[in-house]
Amino acid sequence: QLTTLELHSNFPRYYFELYSAFSCMTMPINALFPDDKSQIHSLCLGSGRFLRSVLVPALIAAGATINDGNGLANNGNGNGNGNGNNFNPVILQTRGRTFMDYCHHRRSESRKKAKAAAETTTEAGECSDFLNYSYEVDTVQHDGRTITDIIPCFGAGSFGTVESKACIMDELLPHLQILRLIGVGVTEAGLSSCHTKAMTDLYDVLNKLRELQGEGEGQRQDGSGSGWICDNPNGKICVVNTDNVPLNGTKLKEFMLQLAAENVNDNDNMTMTQFLTNKVTFHNTMVDRITSQRPGSNGLVPRAEPTPLKALVIEDLEGDLPPSLVMQKDEGLGLGVVVRKKAGQLDADIALKLRVANGTHTAIAHVMALCGLLMTDALSNPKGEGGDCDNHDGDDKISAKLMYYLDSLFQHQNLKAAEANTEDLHDTKTSDVQAVYDDWRRIL
């Protein structure tokens, strides 16, 4: 029970150093945030595999001007924060601390290598505070190869304990200067009611942001100093959900308004209901990328199919999204982010996903199961293209027959049905329907 000073005074130096080392080993890390938190412009509530394999890479790429060759997108000065379009996302785990520990371990290993090689220091001779956190994403290519991308993030935290949540609320949020987007990926269970832990945590974050918001040149409402501002076109924080739930944005807004009604405070400068209506927009989205996990990674490393053309479709009817995300071009990066600005377009995307991608997937899965073909690599032989089934042998012939069946099903049923129900698909062109199938067929 001795204090550090008493240890230092009464024990040999060896024991003091041993005590200090043990204290460092056993003291849990409650947050991994950069010293300069003002450069963080987006928050990701949840550390789900889809969010980390689709949304975060898109946010990184939206503000990047170059790629350093190692999968780390940045703006050329090594920290990714040199222009007005970046997001610099920090990932906040809803439960537990596995992702935070994973990032800490990766950074420790990276710094060991950097110290040994003396290659990743700034001009001042110190390790850059940014891009020291990262995680891996595996993508299984069409030919079976697995490519691993290194995705940077600008910090990690957790709502899993009282101490770690306090770090988010008291050490991160008060130091934000510009906030553009909040990503939410908390699974369908997290969206089951407004009283789930994920929803109450999101509400607490938004309520704290309401208290900290700035006016004019960043002055807080209560005059206590500088606060965050939102430089999006309409000045609204964009909340983008990546869970596979219909009308997820509408549901999120309903939940937040319900919680606001249950937590009324008449002394607030701006009520929470007003804040949610005037300062936040909740986008409906569609998500579509099969994402599992690397074997043995405990869910920390996503393992995904090649990114579909429409992996994440965001509805933005009022033009609230940051321009860098709306105007973002894939340019071969395969980001799969599409923004819909007209009513009905997202509904058409969802209908095509269900009828074309999911419909043909179900059809071929049933046939393959009945034939005793339990793995999808039965479809992967490149010779199995087209309908010339009888000119192949063995596996080639099986693959050709399966794809002939699937192509015929699409041409004579899915496509014909789409042509006959253009109003139901909001006048989607036949070429768009064909493009959905072609992209899905390529992935199959």
Side-chain angles (χ1 to χ4, degrees):
Q1 299 297 318
L2 293 176
T3 65
T4 301
L5 180 60
E6 290 170 334
L7 273 172
H8 194 237
S9 302
N10 297 288
F11 285 80
R13 182 68 184 174
Y14 169 79
Y15 292 106
F16 174 65
E17 292 178 348
L18 183 65
Y19 165 80
S20 301
F22 180 75
S23 298
C24 294
M25 289 172 61
T26 58
M27 184 178 298
I29 297 173
N30 290 316
L32 297 175
F33 299 142
D35 293 335
D36 185 4
K37 302 172 184 65
S38 66
Q39 299 298 331
I40 295 172
H41 303 316
S42 65
L43 309 173
C44 289
L45 177 59
S47 57
R49 294 188 294 270
F50 184 93
L51 182 145
R52 289 191 286 125
S53 63
V54 176
L55 180 60
V56 173
L59 295 178
I60 295 294
T65 57
I66 71 166
N67 191 290
D68 70 359
N70 296 313
L72 301 183
N74 59 67
N75 70 339
N77 64 7
N79 60 17
N81 63 349
N83 59 50
N85 299 318
N86 58 69
F87 292 90
N88 295 351
V90 59
I91 298 176
L92 308 173
Q93 191 170 354
T94 53
R95 294 180 182 274
R97 51 177 296 117
T98 54
F99 180 73
M100 188 165 56
D101 290 339
Y102 166 74
C103 287
H104 181 256
H105 174 73
R106 284 185 54 81
R107 185 181 68 160
S108 298
E109 293 301 312
S110 175
R111 286 188 166 181
K112 288 179 183 178
K113 295 178 182 178
K115 185 177 181 180
E119 292 179 347
T120 59
T121 56
T122 63
E123 292 181 0
E126 298 178 354
C127 289
S128 174
D129 199 28
F130 281 89
L131 295 182
N132 283 323
Y133 307 106
S134 65
Y135 59 91
E136 297 175 303
V137 173
D138 290 344
T139 300
V140 182
Q141 301 297 308
H142 304 123
D143 58 5
R145 293 180 300 119
T146 297
I147 294 178
T148 299
D149 293 313
I150 307 300
I151 309 298
C153 62
F154 293 81
S158 172
F159 290 94
T161 66
V162 174
E163 294 79 10
S164 59
K165 182 174 180 177
C167 286
I168 296 172
M169 306 301 286
D170 301 331
E171 298 179 20
L172 173 63
L173 300 184
H175 296 282
L176 300 179
Q177 292 186 5
I178 298 175
L179 183 60
R180 299 182 173 118
L181 184 142
I182 298 178
V184 179
V186 294
T187 76
E188 291 82 349
L191 293 179
S192 60
S193 82
C194 69
H195 294 115
T196 65
K197 185 179 184 304
M199 292 299 97
T200 56
D201 285 338
L202 175 60
Y203 179 83
D204 289 343
V205 168
L206 291 172
N207 192 35
K208 184 71 172 182
L209 291 172
R210 176 189 61 81
E211 297 173 358
L212 297 170
Q213 65 184 318
E215 289 183 336
E217 295 299 322
Q219 184 72 16
R220 287 181 187 162
Q221 287 190 53
D222 60 6
S224 62
S226 61
W228 66 270
I229 60 173
C230 180
D231 60 358
N232 289 341
N234 296 323
K236 292 185 176 184
I237 301 171
C238 293
V239 178
V240 176
N241 182 256
T242 60
D243 296 306
N244 191 21
V245 175
L247 298 175
N248 46 22
T250 301
K251 186 178 289 290
L252 276 177
K253 185 174 182 178
E254 291 175 353
F255 287 166
M256 294 302 104
L257 289 173
Q258 186 174 342
L259 289 172
E262 296 174 1
N263 296 274
V264 176
N265 187 345
D266 295 333
N267 295 323
D268 290 341
N269 291 327
M270 174 183 281
T271 68
M272 189 59 174
T273 299
Q274 290 175 321
F275 177 77
L276 294 171
T277 303
N278 301 329
K279 297 295 185 179
V280 186
T281 182
F282 298 85
H283 297 270
N284 287 319
T285 67
M286 182 193 81
V287 297
D288 186 22
R289 190 184 187 190
I290 299 174
T291 308
S292 60
Q293 58 181 300
R294 178 192 291 177
S297 70
N298 193 30
L300 293 171
V301 180
R303 183 175 185 267
E305 65 177 340
T307 306
L309 295 176
K310 293 188 290 187
L312 174 62
V313 182
I314 308 173
E315 188 175 58
D316 185 28
L317 303 181
E318 303 298 328
D320 293 313
L321 284 173
S324 58
L325 192 61
V326 176
M327 300 173 63
Q328 178 175 274
K329 303 298 182 183
D330 275 10
E331 297 178 352
L333 297 176
L335 300 173
V337 177
V338 177
V339 176
R340 296 304 194 194
K341 299 182 179 181
K342 296 181 180 179
Q345 288 182 322
L346 179 63
D347 296 332
D349 289 320
I350 294 173
L352 288 175
K353 172 189 173 183
L354 294 174
R355 300 178 190 184
V356 177
N358 292 2
T360 55
H361 191 185
T362 300
I364 198 68
H366 288 176
V367 171
M368 292 175 68
L370 290 171
C371 293
L373 302 170
L374 305 183
M375 301 295 290
T376 55
D377 56 7
L379 302 172
S380 65
N381 195 309
K383 295 181 180 179
E385 300 288 335
D388 189 10
C389 305
D390 295 327
N391 290 333
H392 300 292
D393 295 322
D395 293 340
D396 293 356
K397 188 172 183 178
I398 293 174
S399 176
K401 282 188 175 182
L402 288 170
M403 295 312 300
Y404 177 73
Y405 158 71
L406 202 60
D407 291 340
S408 178
L409 176 70
F410 171 75
Q411 292 293 332
H412 294 98
Q413 294 193 43
N414 298 80
L415 189 58
K416 295 295 184 183
E419 292 172 348
N421 294 279
T422 55
E423 183 177 348
D424 191 32
L425 292 174
H426 300 275
D427 298 321
T428 300
K429 298 178 181 178
T430 301
S431 59
D432 293 332
V433 180
Q434 183 70 52
V436 172
Y437 178 68
D438 290 343
D439 185 47
W440 173 239
R441 190 187 193 281
R442 176 178 59 88
I443 292 173
L444 275 181

